[in-house]
Amino acid sequence: MENEYTDDETKGPPYKPQMMKQLRKAFIKAGIVVPLTHNDAGMNGYYVNGTGSPDLYGFDDYPQGFDCSHPLDWNNLTKSYHDYHMDVFPDRPLYIPEAQQGSFDPWGPSAPGYEKCRLLTDKNFQNTLYYHMLASNVKLINLYMIYGGTSWGNIPFPGVYTSYDYGSAIRENRDLSEKYNYLKPLGMFLRSVPELYHTDVVSSRVISSNREDSPALVTHLRNPDSGASFYFVRHSDASKDDDARYTLQLSTNSGELRLPIFYETFLLKYRTTELIVTDIKFGNSSLIYTSASIFFAGRMGSRDVLVLYGDVELPHEAIIQLKGEPNRIDRSPLVSLIPPSPLLNLAKGTLISFLPGITQMVEVWDSDEQLILFCDTETANALHAPVLAGDSSDPFRSFWGIGSNNSIIVGGPYLVRSAILEDGTLGLNGDLKEDAFLRVIGLPKEVHRITWNGVDVDTLQSLRKWPSIVSLPLTKTISLLPLVREFGPWKYQDSLPEITNAYDDSDWVVANKTNTTCPYGPLFGSGPVLYACDYGFCEGAVLWRGYFNGSKAKEGVRLAINGGEAFAASIWINGHFLGTSYGNSTRNLNIVTETDEKFIFPDWTLRRDKINVLTVLQDNMGMDETGWPYDANKSKSPRGVRGYSLLSGAKFTTWKVQGRAGGYRHYVDKHRGILNTGGFYGERLGWHLPEFDDSSWKHLDLQSGLPNDLAGVGFFRTQLNLDIPTGQDVMMSFEFEDMESKPYRALLFVNGWNMGKRVANLGPQTKFIVHEGILNYHGSNTIAISLWVMEPNQTVQPRLKLVIDAQFEGGVGASFEPGPSWGDLYLASD
């Protein structure tokens, strides 16, 4: 119902629980039948019970924090999930709506970048945190974020830049990272082992290990119905970077075990967690014990199938009840089987040893009743387990547990998107990054044909052999596209006529409000309140024009301007540039959201005994987030001019303001939304839109910057023609090549969509992802740049190129959605 919302009456406005109660009533009235939830910002107990409480309470946790500049430094984990659960809401499942999956990256020249955020929250962190949550008996986990994506349009929150990649498992450009490869086997394990869905915490204790400063901990979860047990073994302090050796004594449904059986000790590598499982079912078969990880445990066709995997550098072992007469197996010499023996307390199962060094999929047992396989972790990470889609009339045919309970395992391709078995044909669809061997496990006997993206990949004769693992060659047929595409020719037009003497602002909004709804009042100056949101202009660029009599103002002006973290504001008097006031951010340190400066009027800039015009162009970086102590007023940011006074003591006679054309209620482009544009002159006139007539504009290359190296704003436009071959998934981005710090800001528009804000004096972002659908891969694209140069004579020369980040054969493709053109929006309004 709400996210990170307090019920503390001393924080922010009152009646918060009553509002939550109204929300609940509204959701139910609207036909919502799924349980309603709430995410508490930590273990605060907000909305656990009482007025406004949801059906399902949860809380978030980010143990690594959000400083990616030291990605190898770890914090310890939050230890109290289970105790808090039992103390506060034991009658409901333990739910974590936001479990850390990455981190945001702030503005500033020292911002580390999202790859370091990905390293901070890498596969080892995922293994440690998510196993810790499972060990705490968490039953619902939502990862923040699996895919962060792009904050297109004007930024709603100043703490991050356009990219919201977040160091996620799926990169902003949709490429899959190493973190995704870890999550996939974890998801397969959770899908395969339903015994974990209903467990009690039996114990959590220190076990014998060689680490005195951070001994190993083992938490035992047990399913009360089946007796299945899960032993999570981890370091007591996850921030330490030493290995630990340990042994374990445990009970199974078949008797006591001292582990390991084959070796003296287990090795728990630093910053990892291991899971030992006992007494689970796979199909109609029993797994008594394994120290290896489980990728798949279930039934495929007429056989029970178990796929185990483990670290290539470590030994692993298992006890399994084998069934059936074995078919011919070319078993690896690194795999040993010891049959059931009362002397070894193994009367009910076969002991299997996996020595270090297994680097591919190996057969352990292959009979008409069972198929058991083992591979190393890297091989398991490359496996896919697509659902065999159910009945074609079922809209949920590809959803596991709803439309189908049938699956196969596929290795080799970069991505397997879907699998359909119809009339003896197995149709696989997915992506190839390079040539690969298609390995299919659990192939039903009725299959006589396999296709990949609709093309046959093998003959009937070879499939009749029907081995446990079918290997078929897949050859990538597409040719590589050029990696870089230059732009041009460009056309240019000035986009700041508001600073000229002849500019007519008669249709601007008169800024004459004497009060504000913002809880933060003006700082100084007598006259109207100059907060942009009060006049309907919260997003993007806002322009102010203040009028005064020149005979009484000989010195200058003092301005306090609030634009948010990393903002900027440039000031002119009668068209003459006075300077730029800069906000700041350096890795969310030294944050400057508001400036207070004096700007001196050179004598020759004033018009004596005449009206003079002061022009302020400021950028609004979005509203502050309501953070600790969760006072709702914090997000009501006073964006605008918080204080103004002429140094001579004279007064401004009039103020006018202009932002996005049409303000809140009557903005022009409802299709692209309210965040798409701000108040730059070119934005207001639709110069960023396709089909705008720029035939009268002058030819000027973007790399040339503004004419005469002046401070100001210019609009640049060009056309980009693409002809990407079909059947490919090509990930592209627009990249500014000028990496050095320069005093300019730029907006990137692609076919009318605002796809990025470049703040070149701070950074760090120079690369802007644009996906197919916004980009027309098979035709013309309108590219526009709004360039704001904030200092004169600085040789601002932006260099922009289109870069191919990745290219795959296959993919789902996206239809180009052109959106309204200039004529659709501006001629229609006439």
Side-chain angles (χ1 to χ4, degrees):
M1 300 193 305
E2 265 288 0
N3 179 55
E4 298 181 344
Y5 194 57
T6 177
D7 67 3
D8 188 340
E9 292 292 338
T10 67
K11 305 293 193 303
Y15 311 117
K16 293 183 287 294
Q18 288 77 7
M19 186 210 74
M20 289 284 279
K21 182 179 179 179
Q22 291 174 354
L23 276 179
R24 178 184 178 88
K25 184 177 180 180
F27 284 135
I28 294 173
K29 185 177 180 180
I32 304 298
V33 296
V34 297
L36 298 176
T37 70
H38 168 69
N39 176 40
D40 193 354
M43 291 179 280
N44 303 304
Y46 297 150
Y47 299 106
V48 173
N49 296 298
T51 302
S53 61
D55 301 308
L56 190 60
Y57 165 84
F59 58 88
D60 60 26
D61 193 39
Y62 293 84
Q64 284 290 64
F66 305 101
D67 182 0
C68 302
S69 59
H70 301 92
L72 300 181
D73 294 344
W74 276 29
N75 299 319
N76 202 3
L77 300 177
T78 305
K79 297 292 184 64
S80 53
Y81 298 148
H82 178 62
D83 291 341
Y84 177 71
H85 178 211
M86 292 295 98
D87 289 343
V88 178
F89 57 109
D91 56 328
R92 283 157 284 173
L94 180 50
Y95 171 40
I96 299 187
E98 289 186 28
Q100 185 167 13
Q101 163 58 206
S103 172
F104 61 81
D105 191 44
W107 297 97
S110 62
Y114 282 117
E115 285 307 314
K116 286 193 175 180
C117 294
R118 217 176 316 277
L119 180 58
L120 177 74
T121 56
D122 64 1
K123 62 179 183 179
N124 288 340
F125 169 77
Q126 292 181 122
N127 162 265
T128 301
L129 177 61
Y130 306 151
Y131 268 4
H132 171 60
M133 289 181 172
L134 293 175
S136 301
N137 221 18
V138 176
K139 295 308 179 192
L140 296 94
I141 304 174
N142 178 59
L143 306 184
Y144 191 99
M145 307 277 294
I146 289 288
Y147 177 70
T150 303
S151 296
W152 57 267
N154 282 297
I155 295 169
F157 163 62
V160 294
Y161 41 89
T162 296
S163 173
Y164 201 64
D165 178 282
Y166 210 74
S168 299
I170 304 175
R171 292 184 172 88
E172 182 187 6
N173 65 6
R174 296 179 295 107
D175 199 6
L176 305 179
S177 75
E178 184 184 46
K179 292 173 63 173
Y180 179 89
N181 291 337
Y182 167 78
L183 290 177
K184 189 171 44 172
L186 176 60
M188 282 305 305
F189 164 70
L190 295 174
R191 191 174 94 179
S192 297
V193 186
E195 289 96 332
L196 185 60
Y197 303 168
H198 179 202
T199 54
D200 299 321
V201 177
V202 177
S203 64
S204 188
R205 56 189 175 85
V206 174
I207 57 175
S208 175
S209 78
N210 64 322
R211 288 286 304 278
E212 294 183 0
D213 60 333
S214 180
L217 298 176
V218 60
T219 298
H220 176 198
L221 271 58
R222 186 175 185 273
N223 184 301
D225 300 322
S226 69
S229 287
F230 304 87
Y231 298 86
F232 294 88
V233 184
R234 57 202 191 279
H235 298 281
S236 60
D237 187 346
S239 66
K240 303 294 184 180
D241 56 3
D242 292 323
D243 300 339
R245 292 191 173 274
Y246 69 95
T247 59
L248 195 61
Q249 189 87 19
L250 55 82
S251 298
T252 72
N253 292 343
S254 302
E256 296 289 324
L257 289 177
R258 183 194 177 282
L259 304 177
I261 298 172
F262 275 109
Y263 324 104
E264 291 186 4
T265 60
F266 288 120
L267 176 63
L268 180 64
K269 288 187 173 181
Y270 80 100
R271 295 181 176 177
T272 60
T273 297
E274 299 293 344
L275 172 58
I276 293 173
V277 176
T278 69
D279 299 309
I280 71 161
K281 293 287 187 180
F282 60 104
N284 298 317
S285 299
S286 296
L287 169 64
I288 297 173
Y289 147 71
T290 182
S291 65
S293 299
I294 298 171
F295 181 86
F296 182 87
R299 196 158 178 85
M300 290 186 179
S302 60
R303 294 201 290 180
D304 299 334
V305 177
L306 177 67
V307 180
L308 303 175
Y309 68 97
D311 189 325
V312 67
E313 297 177 347
L314 299 179
H316 308 278
E317 55 190 26
I319 301 175
I320 305 173
Q321 291 181 351
L322 302 181
K323 291 183 178 181
E325 292 298 320
N327 301 315
R328 187 182 68 84
I329 298 178
D330 186 16
R331 186 176 295 130
S332 166
L334 300 177
V335 178
S336 301
L337 275 65
I338 298 177
S341 169
L343 296 178
L344 295 176
N345 198 21
L346 300 174
K348 294 185 178 181
T350 298
L351 176 60
I352 306 171
S353 167
F354 308 99
L355 292 176
I358 297 175
T359 57
Q360 58 186 349
M361 187 71 72
V362 297
E363 294 174 304
V364 179
W365 188 257
D366 182 353
S367 72
D368 291 343
E369 296 181 57
Q370 284 181 329
L371 175 62
I372 300 171
L373 305 170
F374 181 89
C375 64
D376 62 294
T377 300
E378 184 175 348
T379 299
N381 288 345
L383 296 176
H384 308 269
V387 173
L388 285 175
D391 189 278
S392 60
S393 64
D394 186 351
F396 301 105
R397 63 186 306 216
S398 296
F399 287 80
W400 177 265
I402 301 176
S404 173
N405 285 317
N406 298 316
S407 179
I408 58 170
I409 298 174
V410 181
Y414 169 81
L415 181 64
V416 179
R417 296 178 180 269
S418 65
I420 299 177
L421 178 59
E422 291 180 343
D423 300 325
T425 297
L426 176 64
L428 299 173
N429 286 278
D431 300 7
L432 281 182
K433 191 172 187 177
E434 57 193 3
D435 293 349
F437 271 95
L438 180 70
R439 293 182 173 87
V440 184
I441 300 168
L443 192 67
K445 287 187 176 181
E446 64 267 27
V447 171
H448 58 78
R449 179 173 174 242
I450 297 178
T451 63
W452 173 257
N453 291 338
V455 178
D456 287 325
V457 293
D458 202 61
T459 64
L460 175 64
Q461 181 177 1
S462 63
L463 289 179
R464 281 176 177 162
K465 298 176 183 177
W466 201 69
S468 299
I469 305 174
V470 175
S471 292
L472 311 168
L474 287 179
T475 302
K476 186 178 176 182
T477 59
I478 63 174
S479 57
L480 292 177
L481 298 171
L483 294 180
V484 177
R485 178 76 177 269
E486 303 294 340
F487 291 98
W490 291 89
K491 303 194 79 175
Y492 164 82
Q493 181 69 295
D494 176 66
S495 185
L496 194 62
E498 296 94 341
I499 65 173
T500 63
N501 295 333
Y503 182 76
D504 179 7
D505 63 10
S506 59
D507 62 346
W508 281 29
V509 176
V510 177
N512 57 7
K513 294 182 181 293
T514 57
N515 295 301
T516 177
T517 57
C518 178
Y520 307 101
L523 298 176
F524 56 85
S526 60
V529 176
L530 303 185
Y531 290 177
C533 294
D534 288 335
Y535 300 97
F537 308 121
C538 269
E539 294 79 24
V542 176
L543 291 108
W544 304 90
R545 283 166 63 91
Y547 291 80
F548 62 91
N549 190 306
S551 62
K552 298 181 180 180
K554 300 179 180 179
E555 300 177 28
V557 64
R558 177 187 174 194
L559 295 170
I561 304 173
N562 185 300
E565 184 174 344
F567 89 102
S570 295
I571 296 92
W572 288 261
I573 178 68
N574 297 325
H576 300 284
F577 180 70
L578 295 180
T580 293
S581 188
Y582 295 95
N584 193 42
S585 174
T586 304
R587 213 174 68 245
N588 273 342
L589 306 172
N590 190 27
I591 293 174
V592 176
T593 65
E594 183 176 282
T595 57
D596 186 344
E597 297 185 54
K598 295 178 181 179
F599 298 89
I600 304 303
F601 300 149
D603 287 341
W604 54 272
T605 64
L606 290 178
R607 295 197 290 255
R608 303 296 180 186
D609 299 318
K610 295 182 180 180
I611 295 298
N612 292 260
V613 182
L614 181 79
T615 304
V616 178
L617 166 62
Q618 73 162 106
D619 197 4
N620 185 345
M621 301 297 287
M623 298 301 181
D624 293 333
E625 187 178 30
T626 304
W628 183 260
Y630 303 105
D631 182 348
N633 286 333
K634 187 177 180 182
S635 61
K636 301 173 184 177
S637 311
R639 303 296 187 235
V641 182
R642 289 200 69 191
Y644 54 91
S645 64
L646 294 166
L647 300 182
S648 64
K651 305 295 183 183
F652 285 94
T653 60
T654 307
W655 279 96
K656 290 191 171 185
V657 60
Q658 180 64 59
R660 177 199 312 104
Y664 278 134
R665 298 183 181 274
H666 306 292
Y667 61 97
V668 178
D669 193 346
K670 300 295 194 298
H671 179 80
R672 296 181 179 89
I674 198 168
L675 291 175
N676 197 60
T677 57
F680 286 122
Y681 185 77
E683 291 181 291
R684 305 199 309 267
L685 270 63
W687 292 356
H688 58 291
L689 293 169
E691 300 182 17
F692 172 79
D693 183 7
D694 59 12
S695 59
S696 63
W697 289 19
K698 66 185 291 186
H699 287 278
L700 183 67
D701 195 86
L702 175 65
Q703 189 171 339
S704 300
L706 299 188
N708 304 315
D709 278 344
L710 295 176
V713 181
F715 239 81
F716 293 81
R717 285 172 54 95
T718 190
Q719 296 297 312
L720 170 68
N721 293 311
L722 295 175
D723 186 17
I724 304 299
T726 58
Q728 300 187 26
D729 187 358
V730 181
M731 302 169 184
M732 291 193 269
S733 60
F734 290 76
E735 187 169 341
F736 287 87
E737 294 184 89
D738 48 311
M739 305 294 289
E740 67 275 14
S741 175
K742 286 288 184 179
Y744 79 84
R745 304 166 88 88
L747 298 180
L748 167 68
F749 291 93
V750 179
N751 293 321
W753 293 91
N754 183 342
M755 295 306 298
K757 176 179 286 190
R758 165 94 164 112
V759 179
N761 64 302
L762 287 177
Q765 188 172 7
T766 60
K767 189 181 187 72
F768 297 86
I769 308 298
V770 181
H771 299 293
E772 184 178 7
I774 298 293
L775 262 179
N776 182 3
Y777 277 28
H778 310 288
S780 179
N781 296 271
T782 298
I783 311 301
I785 298 291
S786 174
L787 177 64
W788 174 6
V789 177
M790 298 181 291
E791 301 289 348
N793 306 313
Q794 292 293 310
T795 318
V796 171
Q797 298 176 330
R799 301 185 300 278
L800 186 67
K801 62 184 179 181
L802 182 69
V803 178
I804 292 179
D805 298 321
Q807 182 181 356
F808 302 93
E809 180 177 283
V812 296
S815 298
F816 173 58
E817 299 290 341
S821 67
W822 183 86
D824 295 331
L825 295 172
Y826 284 81
L827 296 182
S829 63
D830 294 342

